[in-house]
Amino acid sequence: MDHLKMELRHWVLSDAKELTNLCNAVDRHYLSDRLPNPYTEKDAAEWLKMVSENEAVSGIYRAIVYDGKLIGSISVEKKHDDAEIGYMLLNEYANKGIATEAVKQVCTIAFKVLSLEQITANVFQPNIASIRVLLKNGFKYKGAITNAVIKDGNVYNLLIYRLTKDCNENLARFKKIK
């Protein structure tokens, strides 16, 4: 993957139409139901307003752009003493290293800007691609909540992965040495 073609950029209020198109085009199979379906421009405008008020205060929110095209979204949001990462990517850009690079970049930003000690990821058990992205970025498996999610009539375990600040810093140092 050409990392120069992928960038994380700040969301802006004028992204509402592109965000709406993205949210209606992504595969929702393993996404939380808190993402409205269908996703409207009103939903996008409300979310972008929340992002503008909370950026660098209680979260890091970025558009994933590849070769100039908006192809995904990634965020790390503070939840009490922890933070939770979430991301989505259009299917045609999967398995190209884009999500792995986006997670690496957003975690580095989040640890620094939000002064976090750890970031948690909750993944539906069959979502192998997302699990691989997390493992490549140093996230460690912490446990599962059995039968925690019902999605499209399917019952899934919710797997919990965690990245600590120390692990993130050590992983970054190791990658520089290689």
Side-chain angles (χ1 to χ4, degrees):
M1 201 265 314
D2 185 354
H3 295 297
L4 298 176
K5 291 184 177 184
M6 194 284 295
E7 67 172 313
L8 298 185
R9 73 159 171 79
H10 289 270
W11 287 102
V12 291
L13 295 176
S14 60
D15 285 330
K17 186 165 182 55
E18 274 190 292
L19 177 60
T20 302
N21 292 339
L22 171 71
C23 290
N24 287 316
V26 294
D27 179 358
R28 293 167 168 268
H29 205 75
Y30 299 126
L31 292 180
S32 164
D33 283 337
R34 71 179 228 205
L35 185 70
N37 189 15
Y39 197 85
T40 65
E41 281 197 46
K42 181 178 184 267
D43 295 322
E46 289 172 1
W47 188 80
L48 290 167
K49 181 179 183 295
M50 182 280 300
V51 165
S52 71
E53 293 168 356
N54 292 291
E55 172 63 36
V57 176
S58 61
I60 302 297
Y61 308 88
R62 296 291 187 272
I64 303 172
V65 178
Y66 185 76
D67 210 13
K69 181 182 179 197
L70 177 65
I71 63 160
S73 178
I74 189 164
S75 63
V76 175
E77 296 180 76
K78 276 183 140 178
K79 310 270 187 197
H80 308 290
D81 295 336
D82 196 357
E84 185 176 334
I85 189 169
Y87 46 91
M88 62 182 175
L89 196 63
L90 291 172
N91 269 355
E92 58 264 35
Y93 295 93
N95 300 312
K96 298 181 186 304
I98 296 169
T100 299
E101 181 64 20
V103 168
K104 177 178 127 183
Q105 288 184 27
V106 83
C107 287
T108 300
I109 295 165
F111 278 118
K112 182 178 178 183
V113 173
L114 300 175
S115 301
L116 301 173
E117 292 300 317
Q118 64 185 19
I119 298 172
T120 299
N122 298 316
V123 185
F124 297 179
Q125 188 161 10
N127 192 349
I128 302 301
S130 191
I131 292 167
R132 284 189 186 127
V133 165
L134 296 169
L135 293 174
K136 286 178 188 175
N137 277 289
F139 279 76
K140 304 290 184 216
Y141 175 73
K142 291 298 171 187
I145 303 172
T146 324
N147 302 327
V149 180
I150 299 173
K151 178 83 176 190
D152 301 327
N154 297 307
V155 180
Y156 298 123
N157 294 339
L158 190 64
L159 306 182
I160 302 162
Y161 288 83
R162 188 161 293 132
L163 178 67
T164 62
K165 181 179 179 179
D166 294 341
C167 183
N168 185 59
E169 290 169 353
N170 289 335
L171 188 65
R173 275 197 295 274
F174 175 72
K175 286 184 177 180
K176 284 179 187 174
I177 294 168
K178 285 182 101 180

